[in-house]
Every structure is written in C-alpha cells, then in structure tokens.
Amino acid sequence: MEPSDLSPAAAARITALLVDASIDASYLAFVARHIDVDDRTWRWCCGSNCDPCVQGLGRVVDQARQLLGSPPDRPPGVPKPAEPA
C-alpha cells in the first residue's frame, strides 16, 4: 500500500502510533508500504542498533494492520532464524 492510499484519518492515526513509539513521523511511508508485505521478507533485526530498529517499526505495522482491519498474515513479531540442517 502506498501512503497516498491511506485516508487522511488513517494517516493521522498511524502518525500518532509512530510518535507514541518514539519513531519519526516520516516513517509513515515505510509503515504504509509494509502493511501488505509478507513479514518473512523484511521483518528481521540485524543487531546493529539501527534507529529505528525494524522491531519497533514492526510493532507499528502490526498496530496499523489492526487499525485498518487487515490482520497480519502471521503472528506479530520478528521471525525466528531457520533451524540448522
């Protein structure tokens, strides 16, 4: 989903979620674009202390999904690493 696909009210509510999470409101585009993306393709933490970390952004994406009535395709959270073969 593109940020322009959000209604003004939804964009304002997601912006408030970002602010509540201490994440800059400019990440609205990131959140909007990841609402419909499979978590397994983007939702992992590299451990480099990024600001913001994908874990915090992921929590906002989960909240935005709930806000928009689109449940996540899997339980929220960062996927676990694959088991060694």
Side-chain angles (χ1 to χ4, degrees), residues 26-47:
S26 65
Y27 281 90
L28 174 65
F30 177 96
V31 173
R33 290 183 180 128
H34 287 81
I35 288 171
D36 299 325
V37 175
D38 182 351
D39 288 347
R40 292 171 292 182
T41 65
W42 66 273
R43 200 168 176 149
W44 54 273
C45 174
C46 67

Side-chain angles (χ1 to χ4, degrees), residues 22-84:
S22 300
I23 299 174
D24 192 273
S26 65
Y27 281 90
L28 174 65
F30 177 96
V31 173
R33 290 183 180 128
H34 287 81
I35 288 171
D36 299 325
V37 175
D38 182 351
D39 288 347
R40 292 171 292 182
T41 65
W42 66 273
R43 200 168 176 149
W44 54 273
C45 174
C46 67
S48 294
N49 296 318
C50 300
D51 184 24
C53 177
V54 73
Q55 292 175 338
L57 288 165
R59 286 189 288 274
V60 176
V61 170
D62 289 339
Q63 293 171 327
R65 287 172 175 166
Q66 289 179 332
L67 175 81
L68 298 173
S70 57
D73 61 346
R74 51 177 243 64
V78 178
K80 295 185 182 198
E83 294 291 324

